[in-house]
Amino acid sequence: MAYGAGLSAIGNTPLVRLEKLVPDGAAEVWVKLEGANPTGSYKDRMAISVLGAALEQGRVKAGDTVVEFTGGSTGSALAFVSAVLGLKFTAIFSDAFSYTKQQAMEAFGAEVLVEKCVDGAITHELAERMKARAHSLAAQPGYYYADQFGSPDVRAGYQPLGREIAEALDGGIDVFCASVGTGATLMGTLDGLRAAGGSPKVVALEPTESALLSTGVAGAHNVEGIAVFPAPPFLDRDVLSDIRTVDQDKAFEMCRRLARIEGIFGGGSTGLNVCAAIDLAVELGPGKRVVTISCDHGSKYLGGRIYS
Ligand SMILES: Cc1ncc(COP(=O)(O)O)c(C=O)c1O
């Protein structure tokens, strides 16, 4: 199905090798720059997968309103794809997340309903409140719940990401590491890597401040998009070789170093991913390859604590 000009710009993002931040004697570190997608994040891949399938299968029709609770990246992607497909979009958002993400959703014509946070923190309680509001809205006629935590089309949307990496590196990947929100990116990318013949070790990442996967204990943190739910719906723990934590302040410091030293401009989860990727590369040594993802574009975080 032909969808429209902007949608054809999703995917085929650059894959770059870190040149200066990786110490001598370490493995190569490659970073997929997903900020190059139209709304500046890899969520564009899942939005077209979810809404394209829903439209093709008649679960939603032009004029209906798509609903999701979101930290803003998924919301921006759903707002963008909904606009092009002739759908309306309502986001349940919070003031715990970047205001620029709210503005981006509104730029694509979305309605944004804001749940108030406590002390600026992203917490499990906040996520549950946002979810309940999204569910009650989506229960009304003419509304469609995008279901970023349950739809099988979410994970499928990231398969091309893995295939693109495998093709660019001719399959030679020793470790793939990425931070986990729903787990869809980690698992969908792995599906794509495997479909192209790869079999990397897989390392899941999370902030030390909310080490849910490692300890089961949630905490307040500021790395947007990750470490909120105790059981990420798409994560298959059996495929993991390891789970690692990174301090959020180290992740944010890495964001600034990435921007100033390598010219890679990403958000907090990007800094977290690259911190762990470099550590893994040092442990692996020369002749090996670590791949990770720059999840979204740093311009989404201007005015927040990462860059100011
Ligand atoms: C900036 C950012 N990084 C990482 C993630 C985690 O991705 P996933 O939910 O696919 O695990 C998200 C998800 O919302 C995100 O917005």
Side-chain angles (χ1 to χ4, degrees):
M1 186 187 283
Y3 286 127
L7 300 189
S8 62
I10 297 172
N12 293 310
T13 53
L15 178 70
V16 297
R17 182 179 167 187
L18 293 188
E19 292 173 356
K20 297 181 183 166
L21 284 175
V22 181
D24 290 344
E28 296 174 10
V29 175
W30 291 80
V31 184
K32 185 80 164 149
L33 301 184
E34 287 292 295
N37 281 299
T39 73
S41 120
Y42 55 31
K43 299 293 178 180
D44 291 350
R45 296 180 185 267
M46 70 81 103
I48 187 57
S49 176
V50 167
L51 296 182
L55 207 58
E56 279 175 20
Q57 292 160 16
R59 285 179 273 126
V60 70
K61 58 181 186 319
D64 284 352
T65 303
V66 175
V67 179
E68 187 55 277
F69 71 104
T70 170
S73 287
T74 295
S76 300
L78 288 170
F80 151 60
V81 173
S82 295
V84 181
L85 296 183
L87 303 162
K88 294 180 219 149
F89 177 61
T90 297
I92 311 299
F93 186 64
S94 169
D95 54 357
F97 305 106
S98 308
Y99 181 59
T100 48
K101 292 182 179 175
Q102 177 171 343
Q103 290 174 306
M105 291 187 277
E106 288 169 347
F108 289 107
E111 177 187 34
V112 181
L113 306 177
V114 178
E115 278 289 314
K116 291 278 175 203
C117 68
V118 179
D119 295 333
I122 304 161
T123 61
H124 182 56
E125 180 279 327
L126 175 65
E128 289 297 332
R129 215 167 357 111
M130 293 167 69
K131 180 176 168 185
R133 192 163 173 191
H135 280 198
S136 88
L137 189 60
Q140 296 176 40
Y143 285 81
Y144 179 77
Y145 184 44
D147 197 8
Q148 64 162 320
F149 298 103
S151 164
D153 300 313
V154 173
R155 175 170 171 169
Y158 295 109
Q159 280 193 31
L161 205 171
R163 280 202 302 273
E164 289 164 26
I165 294 170
E167 278 162 25
L169 296 179
D170 212 7
I173 301 154
D174 298 286
V175 177
F176 170 57
C177 65
S179 49
V180 172
T182 64
T185 311
L186 188 83
M187 299 304 301
T189 304
L190 180 63
D191 292 341
L193 290 171
R194 284 179 167 171
S199 55
K201 288 192 170 161
V202 181
V203 179
L205 311 174
E206 58 185 359
T208 314
E209 292 77 6
S210 187
L212 274 165
L213 302 177
S214 315
T215 66
V217 181
H221 70 97
N222 301 92
V223 190
E224 297 187 25
I226 62 172
V228 178
F229 292 98
F234 300 106
L235 184 67
D236 175 1
R237 281 176 176 259
D238 292 344
V239 305
L240 301 181
S241 307
D242 200 0
I243 299 167
R244 295 199 171 193
T245 59
V246 176
D247 295 355
Q248 74 173 22
D249 285 342
K250 284 192 184 152
F252 294 169
E253 171 63 20
M254 180 57 79
C255 290
R256 296 186 285 273
R257 297 181 72 213
L258 274 170
R260 290 167 199 177
I261 298 172
E262 297 276 5
I264 293 176
F265 192 25
S269 57
T270 296
L272 196 145
N273 285 354
V274 172
C275 277
I278 293 176
D279 285 350
L280 286 159
V282 169
E283 291 164 28
L284 277 175
K288 306 275 185 189
R289 270 186 188 147
V290 180
V291 174
T292 194
I293 303 176
S294 175
C295 313
D296 61 359
H297 200 268
S299 58
K300 289 173 183 271
Y301 301 90
L302 295 174
R305 59 195 284 172
I306 300 177
Y307 290 107
S308 47

